[in-house]
Amino acid sequence: MDDHGYVWNKSNYGSHVKLIAPGVHIRSASSVVDVNGKYRLANGTSDSTAYVSATAALLRAKFPNLSAGQIANRMIKTAGIPEDKPNLKLPDPHYGYGFIKPYSALTKNVPAGPKDGPFPALSGGTSSDPSSAAGNNATGPKISSQKGLSAPFIILIAVVGVALLAIVVVIVLVAKKKNRRNGPPPGGFGGPGGPGGPGGFVPNPQGPQGPYQQQPGAPGAYPPAPPTQPPGR
């Protein structure tokens, strides 16, 4: 909301909104050094989040025995709405149950209420006090649960994804190990086209043939015939 208590025109809105908080002209730390030093004035719902979490922290410090739902209950039942909007049907898509009032949440006498607070329990049940969720601002609102993927289903998807990734890694490693065990590719000694293999040459143990190389003698002759001289010598 802005500094007059109205919803910022760029704020999020919808049935999921439960509370609003200051988010316009908020002074905060900045990484850009300007004429004002290392601080800036900014707008945004992120700044609002800081106010809500700070209020919850103050309430938890003062009421350490309250559950998270009961902390939310105090914030909702002490929330405020603009004076010129008394007929808002709460929760409103833009205002929710109103803007947070930290001092009122800390000091007003608000019954603790059920452990899950004014919201439906995670198991799918309903709060024992849904009609009084907005306290003095209430006109009999009912809070509907948000539908979506359950936590167990999300966990199952994550486990299956990790398992598939592990299987792929194992297959790759086994294939690499098999290739190393098979030795050098064909074409080495004894391989197709290589020395000593089919279609390859057979090394001569006596070395390369030359013009003065000893030639084999006639069949049955022993010892071999003497080397012949090249023509013209």
Side-chain angles (χ1 to χ4, degrees), residues 32 55 82 185 195:
V32 179
T55 302

Side-chain angles (χ1 to χ4, degrees), residues 149-165:
L149 296 178
S150 63
F153 185 72
I154 295 176
I155 295 175
L156 176 61
I157 293 176
V159 171
V160 171
V162 172
L164 291 176
L165 178 61

Side-chain angles (χ1 to χ4, degrees), residues 102-195:
Y103 183 78
S104 296
L106 288 165
T107 58
K108 282 191 173 182
N109 183 18
V110 179
K115 182 178 180 181
D116 293 322
F119 305 107
L122 295 177
S123 60
T126 57
S127 169
S128 60
D129 188 24
S131 62
S132 61
N136 296 332
N137 296 334
T139 56
K142 294 183 179 180
I143 304 174
S144 59
S145 61
Q146 301 293 325
K147 295 182 179 181
L149 296 178
S150 63
F153 185 72
I154 295 176
I155 295 175
L156 176 61
I157 293 176
V159 171
V160 171
V162 172
L164 291 176
L165 178 61
I167 292 174
V168 172
V169 172
V170 170
I171 292 175
V172 172
L173 293 177
V174 169
K176 288 184 177 180
K177 185 176 181 180
K178 184 177 180 181
N179 290 337
R180 289 196 299 266
R181 189 169 57 245
N182 288 339
F189 186 85

Side-chain angles (χ1 to χ4, degrees), residues 24-101:
V24 176
H25 297 160
I26 304 302
R27 186 171 296 278
S28 59
S30 173
S31 60
V32 179
V33 180
D34 54 20
V35 294
N36 297 318
K38 293 186 178 181
Y39 296 91
R40 65 174 182 173
L41 288 177
N43 306 329
T45 55
S46 297
D47 296 296
S48 300
T49 304
Y51 280 97
V52 175
S53 58
T55 302
L58 290 172
L59 290 170
R60 181 57 67 89
K62 184 175 182 179
F63 306 103
N65 295 326
L66 294 184
S67 66
Q70 291 167 336
I71 294 293
N73 180 59
R74 290 190 71 90
M75 296 172 67
I76 286 177
K77 288 186 176 180
T78 57
I81 56 175
E83 293 182 356
D84 59 348
K85 295 182 179 292
N87 298 322
L88 281 178
K89 184 179 179 180
L90 306 178
D92 180 78
H94 294 273
Y95 286 86
Y97 291 100
F99 50 80
I100 60 169
K101 299 172 66 177

